[in-house]
Amino acid sequence: MEEQALPASSCSLVLLEETKKNPLILSNGGGGYPPAAANGNLPLSTAVAGSGSGGVVGGACAGPDKKGVVVSGAGPGYQERETWTRQMDFIMSCVGFAVGLGNVWRFPYLCYKNGGGVFLIPYLLIVFVGGIPIFFLEIALGQFMKAGSINVWNIAPLFKGLGYASMVIVFFCNTYYIMVLAWGFYYLIKSFTSNLPWSSCDNPWNTPSCIEIFHHQDCKNSSFANVTVAGNMTCAELADARSPIIEFWENKVLNISSGLDEPGHMNWELMLCLMVVWVLVYFCVWKGVKSTGKIVYFTATFPYVVLIILLVRGVTLPGAYDGIMYYIKPDWSKLGEAQVWIDAGTQIFFSYAIGLGALTALGSYNRFNNDCYKDAFVLALINSGTSFFAGFVVFSILGFMAAEQGVDISQVAESGPGLAFIAYPKAVSLMPVAPLWAALFFFMLLLLGLDSQFVGVEGFVTGILDLFPGKYYHRYKREIAVAICCLLCFIIDLSMVTQGGMYVFQLFDYYSASGMTLLWQAFWECIVVAWVYGMQHTHTFVTVQSVSLFKAQWKLLIVINCLGHYHSYTKCHKNVIV
């Protein structure tokens, strides 16, 4: 546990004078705020009573060179909150959480679908208008209040439901997101063979309709409808043929039923993979940020090594140039479509992990005067840069795949699980030394999702433990809480390893943490900070002069942005009957 000492500055003298004038401003071994406020157990208005310009001396994000009061202890009845061993632990944890599967399998597809390079215009605009300010807000609140996503809203107790809402959202995300890791782990195990099981039609799960090479180019002329082009199949029959990778995904991995009303039996192999992944998550989180901060150095950085290796391999393949140009070629007509702006906004909220409460939890372990303003920009640059870079990796491979099959790239471009478990495995099966590239890809997929998963669990557990102050102290309180969380999620996940599990997964994916859910959460966060708590009080946790622009965005621009997205979303989906 690291002690946080009050910096030697005029802040100490000012604080002493203020303490004499106002007994509500306490000194607890060098701290400048009441211990309960430091732990998120007092309304912030009480902690800064009579502040104005003198009641509170500094801000949580003042930075090491700014004059900021530092919280040093938790006071009687409260455990002192642990902090990151070094600030880079926090940076890497945020990178691991925010940079995930969506950067690799969702952004590149959205970019190509919404006008290529043109998509970067709405994307970057919303990054600076909405993404970075809210990202900064959540970290700064956690850092100042030294609390997780529930107690941090003691700044406005009437809206504490925002904290509970974020806990519900992140719990649902933790529950279904790990299924992607279980599938990736399953594919990783199956990659350690001389012949990839999804590359041929000679397996027990394949059907008579399975075909390895389609020869679409031979069927472009309608007069050849009854000509045999592949084995004993005619062009007419070729339209109903299925590739071995799709049959491996649907018949072997998922063993999917016809609908949600037919859950069927469990896939025991997938259940074992799920159990292994949950055990990994548990041992990454159970000891708190001291251990988590070390693990992310590997889980957050190694995927970049794999991405670079895959890019070098991808650009040397035939068809890679066409794929990359398909990815970045601008289509200016797309800028006028509302769906493009909706996709840009929802992607930012997804990839920046806004509204989930985990950023608040991570920020709460920062030193009180850490410069989180700079951190917010660095993390945003890493996040968005990774998304753009991953597009070159993905589309160089898809360009090769389209060239090999003789089809247009639009016919092989996928997003989400379709890219990870159908398009990319098909592409690597066409490469020399296919098992090596398959193993690298799925190992990267596992690491990308693993750090996002265990940091999400950390955020949820932090919020729960903050509800139980020091008087409920138990030596193994954290270990027990993490175990209960993982076990409960695992039990719910058992419904997703059945034959109808994919339908349950899609329900969670679409409704539990959809773009509108996160948008609505962020909207109310800004309303509470800017209009309920009041912009005149935000200097208590933000003192950097250039942050005045952020204050204006919290008060007006983000609110207008969220409402605009909400209006566009309802307009685009007005024909959908819920």
Side-chain angles (χ1 to χ4, degrees):
M1 197 73 64
E2 295 188 5
E3 293 291 333
Q4 301 178 48
L6 184 69
S9 69
S10 58
C11 294
S12 306
L13 299 176
V14 177
L15 177 63
L16 179 61
E17 293 301 319
E18 288 297 325
T19 306
K20 293 176 181 177
K21 296 176 185 177
N22 189 347
L24 285 176
I25 301 179
L26 305 177
S27 177
N28 182 33
Y33 295 97
N39 287 274
N41 293 294
L42 271 185
L44 196 58
S45 55
T46 303
V48 297
S51 56
S53 61
V56 175
V57 184
C61 289
D65 298 322
K66 314 294 188 297
K67 292 180 172 59
V69 176
V70 186
V71 179
S72 65
Y78 294 95
Q79 252 189 304
E80 186 177 2
R81 197 174 192 85
E82 60 181 336
T83 60
W84 303 103
T85 304
R86 57 183 63 86
Q87 192 54 30
M88 186 55 68
D89 295 358
F90 166 71
I91 297 292
M92 298 307 296
S93 295
C94 286
V95 169
F97 181 61
V99 178
L101 299 174
N103 299 75
V104 175
W105 74 16
R106 193 166 185 265
F107 177 85
Y109 175 79
L110 290 179
C111 193
Y112 118 81
K113 188 187 82 168
N114 292 308
V118 169
F119 181 69
L120 295 178
I121 296 176
Y123 179 83
L124 292 176
L125 182 63
I126 298 174
V127 161
F128 288 102
V129 172
I132 296 178
I134 304 178
F135 190 88
F136 169 68
L137 172 65
E138 293 193 356
I139 294 175
L141 278 174
Q143 182 172 312
F144 177 73
M145 291 293 285
K146 293 293 179 182
S149 58
I150 296 179
N151 282 351
V152 77
W153 293 108
N154 282 334
I155 62 171
L158 184 62
F159 293 90
K160 205 169 181 178
L162 277 173
Y164 290 100
S166 65
M167 292 287 283
V168 171
I169 295 172
V170 78
F171 177 78
F172 283 150
C173 283
N174 292 338
T175 301
Y176 84 90
Y177 187 85
I178 201 167
M179 282 306 304
V180 180
L181 306 188
W183 294 331
F185 187 62
Y186 184 84
Y187 271 80
L188 177 62
I189 294 173
K190 295 295 183 180
S191 298
F192 293 105
T193 57
S194 56
N195 295 311
L196 296 175
W198 56 80
S199 61
S200 66
C201 294
D202 303 325
N203 303 288
W205 57 82
N206 293 125
T207 66
S209 301
C210 180
I211 182 172
E212 296 177 19
I213 303 175
F214 278 76
H215 297 286
H216 286 290
Q217 64 275 14
D218 296 334
C219 295
K220 292 181 179 179
N221 192 327
S222 59
S223 62
F224 294 147
N226 295 317
V227 175
T228 300
V229 294
N232 58 353
M233 284 190 175
T234 65
C235 288
E237 295 170 332
L238 193 62
D240 299 322
R242 292 162 60 84
S243 72
I245 178 58
I246 292 178
E247 293 204 338
F248 177 80
W249 169 242
E250 294 184 355
N251 299 347
K252 176 62 176 173
V253 181
L254 301 179
N255 195 12
I256 195 166
S257 65
S258 60
L260 185 62
D261 57 331
E262 295 183 17
H265 58 78
M266 287 188 183
N267 184 334
W268 67 270
E269 291 181 329
L270 207 55
M271 185 180 70
L272 288 177
C273 291
L274 178 66
M275 185 183 301
V276 169
V277 176
W278 267 122
V279 170
L280 285 174
V281 170
Y282 175 78
F283 285 108
C284 287
V285 179
W286 71 322
K287 290 299 183 183
V289 297
K290 296 296 183 183
S291 60
T292 303
K294 304 299 181 292
I295 296 169
V296 291
Y297 277 89
F298 176 72
T299 59
T301 56
F302 190 75
Y304 288 96
V305 176
V306 179
L307 279 174
I308 292 172
I309 294 173
L310 292 175
L311 178 64
V312 172
R313 176 57 181 158
V315 296
T316 60
L317 295 170
Y321 176 79
D322 294 332
I324 291 173
M325 292 307 297
Y326 202 85
Y327 167 54
I328 62 175
K329 184 180 179 181
D331 180 2
W332 297 98
S333 64
K334 293 284 187 178
L335 276 179
E337 298 180 11
Q339 188 61 47
V340 174
W341 294 82
I342 293 174
D343 286 343
T346 54
Q347 172 62 17
I348 289 165
F349 278 81
F350 273 122
S351 64
Y352 280 45
I354 290 170
L356 299 178
L359 294 175
T360 304
L362 295 177
S364 71
Y365 297 112
N366 278 337
R367 293 176 178 82
F368 185 78
N369 62 342
N370 169 61
D371 189 359
C372 56
Y373 173 72
K374 178 183 69 177
D375 293 345
F377 276 95
V378 170
L379 291 167
L381 177 64
I382 294 173
N383 195 317
S384 297
T386 302
S387 297
F388 189 63
F389 174 73
F392 290 93
V393 179
V394 170
F395 272 86
S396 63
I397 302 295
L398 293 182
F400 162 72
M401 182 177 171
E404 285 290 300
Q405 295 183 339
V407 297
D408 189 73
I409 297 175
S410 61
Q411 294 182 247
V412 297
E414 298 272 0
S415 72
L419 172 65
F421 302 114
I422 297 178
Y424 208 96
K426 176 62 178 176
V428 297
S429 69
L430 301 174
M431 297 182 189
V433 201
L436 171 64
W437 302 111
L440 272 177
F441 175 76
F442 288 112
F443 186 57
M444 178 196 71
L445 203 71
L446 183 64
L447 292 182
L448 277 174
L450 186 61
D451 47 16
S452 297
Q453 180 71 25
F454 69 66
V455 174
V457 173
E458 172 66 43
F460 179 80
V461 172
T462 296
I464 294 296
L465 292 180
D466 282 347
L467 296 176
F468 301 96
K471 61 182 178 180
Y472 296 104
Y473 173 75
H474 185 279
R475 182 179 179 183
Y476 299 107
K477 181 170 69 171
R478 162 171 281 277
E479 289 85 344
I480 294 171
V482 175
I484 292 173
C485 173
C486 292
L487 181 61
L488 181 59
C489 290
F490 174 76
I491 292 172
I492 297 174
D493 286 333
L494 292 178
S495 64
M496 301 184 199
V497 297
T498 62
Q499 289 179 280
M502 188 60 178
Y503 304 109
V504 180
F505 175 85
Q506 288 175 334
L507 285 175
F508 271 83
D509 185 41
Y510 189 81
Y511 290 106
S512 63
S514 65
M516 285 301 104
T517 303
L518 301 181
L519 198 65
W520 195 240
Q521 180 79 3
F523 170 80
W524 281 106
E525 285 181 8
C526 294
I527 288 291
V528 171
V529 171
W531 295 95
V532 179
Y533 178 60
M535 295 307 301
Q536 68 274 20
H537 295 141
T538 56
H539 69 275
T540 58
F541 60 90
V542 176
T543 59
V544 181
Q545 295 302 317
S546 55
V547 177
S548 58
L549 176 61
F550 278 2
K551 293 181 180 180
Q553 289 174 313
W554 293 338
K555 194 167 186 178
L556 292 173
L557 291 181
I558 296 175
V559 174
I560 295 171
N561 181 31
C562 291
L563 290 176
H565 269 78
Y566 183 75
H567 172 73
S568 299
Y569 183 87
T570 53
K571 184 178 179 181
C572 290
H573 295 81
K574 62 182 179 182
N575 295 323
V576 177
I577 300 176
V578 179

